[in-house]
Structures are given as structure tokens and as C-alpha cells.
Amino acid sequence: MAGIYIHIPFCKQACHYCDFHFSTSLKYKDEMVHALISEIKLQKGYLNGETIETIYFGGGTPSVLDSDQISRIINTVTELHTVSSTAEITLEANPDDLKPDKLKALRQTPVNRFSIGIQSFFDEDLVWMNRVHRGQEAESSVKRAQDAGFENITVDLIYGYPTLSDTKWKQNLDKVFELNVPHVSTYSMTVEPQTALAAFISKKKQPPMNEQQSAEQFIVLMDAMQAHGFQHYEISNFCKPGQYSRHNSNYWKGVKYLGIGPSAHSYNGDTRQWNIANNAKYMQALETGKLQAETEELTEENRLNEYIMTSLRTIWGLELVKLNQIAKGASAELLKAAAEYFDREWIIQKDNVIYLSATGKLYADHIAAGLFF
């Protein structure tokens, strides 16, 4: 099984914290769809005929495309690949795009899952982030999607920023539970270079993010999710039993995937490839039947470190046997490096699998870095 990620590089406006590749000009949507279809055709051999289990439209804001454009892209994939009859096909969407007519049209496409970028239900937070939508629209978009027959929905929330008090954070979570969605993705606000938020902080127009606040709100999050029957199956992701994001789970499990679109990454087990992050150059290259991309051959060390980083973040943990399959004797070396984390009870071992403890989840990146080869 394999997955296909399709990057739609358009947004109506730029969120202050976002460093993903996108353009706020929607002028060339048709030309971009044509280029994406050209790349799908050009890259048809990348996954060596493996069955496609997941298709994921990310961005940017994929919901700015109309249903016909989305169908054309999916139809191209199904023409060139064997797509599972039970494939998970996800569309990232902004609440303001999910109007009744749009939802009705999307029901006629193969899309069967939404990832809705809510971030907060409070207007002052959304203004602070420079989001397009407002809190009431966030709530009503989920209800509209459910009424239209879409049950497989995940919502995104962000915590750990100045305007979000602990009380408001709990209210955001309560609203999600009230909406009865089966999956929630949550992210601590991070300050990425070259973003408006980074510029505001450097000019002292905004305070820096508070790590203590972020850690405390993460603990509130974990406790609330557990109390409402959600599994914490990956550091940032929670779901009702068994209702994982199949596409994102495959990233963490090292499953092959093909990335289509400007800035998209691909992985086939031996190499990693990434496309140029420039809309005009991406489209121009595909007009001539070429793809502007770079490729990296993965070394043994790359594969070890990538497995450590991704597996530790999940409920499935780091399998020592799998580590030794990548490099003989690697597990013994890792266990030596892990001694201090065992002592602090940040990680635990059951049989031949290592997991993060509840406290360890607060230090996931630090622990992974300390275990790298």
C-alpha cells in the first residue's frame, strides 16, 4: 500500500504563523490543476505499481478548488494507479469554504474525509492569527459537513499563544467534544523564520511564545482527550478508537508516498524527493514535460534517525527488531543512549518496543534528538 499527497498552493490570505508554501493569488488555479495532472502522469512509475490506500489534498487551502477540479485530479490518479476501493481521500478545508452548495458538490466527488482548519472558536484568536473565518463559522462548518453526510472529519486546533487562556483552551476542547468529531489534530504554536509572527516578535510588537503555557495546555489537552475516550495515537493527534488518519499514520510508519505539486515531498524507501517551492517555475517546467525536483539517497544513518523520530511519536512505538533490520546491532547502541531517559521515566519498554511516557511526550523532539545516530 502507498499514499499520494497533492499540494494545493493557494490561500485567500496568509496566516501570521504559517511557513508552508502557498500564494495568495488565486489567478492561476486552472493552470496549476493542469500542471498537477501533468506531474501525476510524469510520476506514475514512482510507486512501482503499489496500490494506493490514501489520497490527501493538503496546502495551502485545497478547498479553494471547485469540485470539478478536485474530481479531475482524483480521476487522473485512478486512471494511472490501482486505488483501493476503501481508499481514504482527505480534503483539507477552511470553514469559510464549506458552504452548503460546495458541500453538495463535494458529495459527488470521491472525497470521503475532511480536515477542517478551525484553530480556535474565539474571534480574537482568529484575528490574532489572521485567519479568514470566525468562530461561529468554524462551528457551523462542521455541522454543515455532518448534515451533508460527511462523518469522517478531523479538526485542527492550536494552543500555546498569547491570546489563549487556559479557560478558553478548555472551552475550545469542549466545543470539539460537543461537535462529536472522531479525530482531532492539535499543534503548539511555533514561531517559524520568515513568517509575519516572527517579524512581529523581533520588532517587539508581539511577545514570544511561552513554553510553560504550551506545556501546561498540552497536559490539559491529553487529560481532556483521555476523559472523552480519545486515543492519543501520535503526539499531535487524537482519535476515537480505530479512527486514525490513515494517510498521516502511513508517514509515521514509513509507508511509501508520492508528493504532487510545488514543495511536495516524496519517499519510496530508498530516496526522498522534493519539488521546487515556486508555483511559476513548477508550472513552466511541467509545460515542457519536466519536473524541477531534488533527490536524496537515504543513508543507513538517515533511515535509522527517521525511524526513531517518527516511531517514537506514536502509540505503536519504536520496535528494536525493526531498528536492527535497518542496521545490525543498532538496538544495543540505542539502548545505551536511552539510559538517561529510562532513569527519568520519559520512556518505557514493553517487550522489544520503546514508548514515550505521558511525561516523555512533553520532550518528544528532545528525546528523539538524543537517540539519533
Side-chain angles (χ1 to χ4, degrees), residues 63-313:
S63 54
V64 301
L65 297 186
D66 63 43
S67 59
D68 288 342
Q69 291 170 325
I70 291 165
S71 289
R72 283 170 55 205
I73 294 168
I74 297 172
N75 289 343
T76 305
V77 172
T78 57
E79 286 165 10
L80 298 172
H81 297 271
T82 301
V83 178
S84 168
S85 60
T86 60
E88 174 193 86
I89 304 178
T90 303
L91 182 79
E92 287 186 354
N94 274 359
D96 51 292
D97 289 325
L98 296 180
K99 300 292 194 289
D101 287 349
K102 181 69 166 278
L103 286 162
K104 185 177 179 181
L106 287 170
R107 283 292 286 167
Q108 306 307 309
T109 74
V111 170
N112 54 30
R113 182 174 184 269
F114 282 136
S115 175
I116 305 178
I118 284 173
Q119 319 312 356
S120 175
F121 292 98
F122 290 93
D123 288 354
E124 65 184 274
D125 299 344
L126 297 167
V127 169
W128 183 87
M129 296 179 200
N130 203 38
R131 297 288 291 169
V132 174
H133 71 280
R134 293 296 175 260
Q136 182 55 49
E137 192 158 37
E139 180 178 351
S140 59
S141 71
V142 176
K143 292 177 178 175
R144 285 196 300 266
Q146 291 168 329
D147 290 344
F150 291 96
E151 296 178 3
N152 196 355
I153 294 172
T154 179
V155 300
D156 286 359
L157 296 176
I158 301 178
Y159 59 92
Y161 51 90
T163 63
L164 187 73
S165 66
D166 290 350
T167 299
K168 284 168 61 182
W169 178 226
K170 289 173 185 174
Q171 290 173 329
N172 273 341
L173 295 174
D174 286 341
K175 180 60 69 177
V176 166
F177 300 138
E178 181 187 311
L179 289 168
N180 197 31
V181 295
H183 189 286
V184 184
S185 297
T186 58
Y187 304 96
S188 174
M189 180 64 76
T190 54
V191 183
E192 302 293 346
Q194 312 304 317
T195 60
L197 180 57
F200 295 153
I201 292 171
S202 71
K203 293 174 183 175
K204 297 190 168 30
K205 292 181 179 179
Q206 290 283 352
M209 300 305 105
N210 184 320
E211 289 186 14
Q212 184 64 29
Q213 174 198 5
S214 184
E216 289 172 359
Q217 291 183 347
F218 184 58
I219 292 168
V220 167
L221 167 68
M222 289 192 289
D223 290 345
M225 287 292 171
Q226 184 175 22
H228 285 81
F230 281 74
Q231 289 183 312
H232 191 184
Y233 75 97
E234 193 273 340
I235 290 291
S236 301
N237 288 273
F238 302 80
C239 69
K240 292 289 181 70
Q243 294 190 261
Y244 315 112
S245 162
R246 284 158 56 191
H247 185 84
N248 289 336
S249 294
N250 285 346
Y251 288 151
W252 304 315
K253 291 179 177 180
V255 173
K256 298 175 185 178
Y257 60 90
L258 170 62
I260 299 293
S263 82
H265 285 59
S266 303
Y267 167 78
N268 65 6
D270 299 314
T271 65
R272 189 169 294 288
Q273 176 180 291
W274 56 97
N275 294 349
I276 190 169
N278 181 296
N279 288 4
K281 290 180 180 178
Y282 170 81
M283 291 188 289
Q284 287 164 5
L286 284 160
E287 281 292 327
T288 63
K290 296 176 183 176
L291 178 67
Q292 283 212 26
E294 293 184 53
T295 302
E296 173 190 26
E297 293 281 341
L298 295 175
T299 64
E300 186 178 86
E301 184 178 289
N302 290 151
R303 292 199 297 272
L304 284 168
N305 291 343
E306 188 157 305
Y307 178 63
I308 290 166
M309 181 177 66
T310 55
S311 64
L312 263 185
R313 295 178 63 88

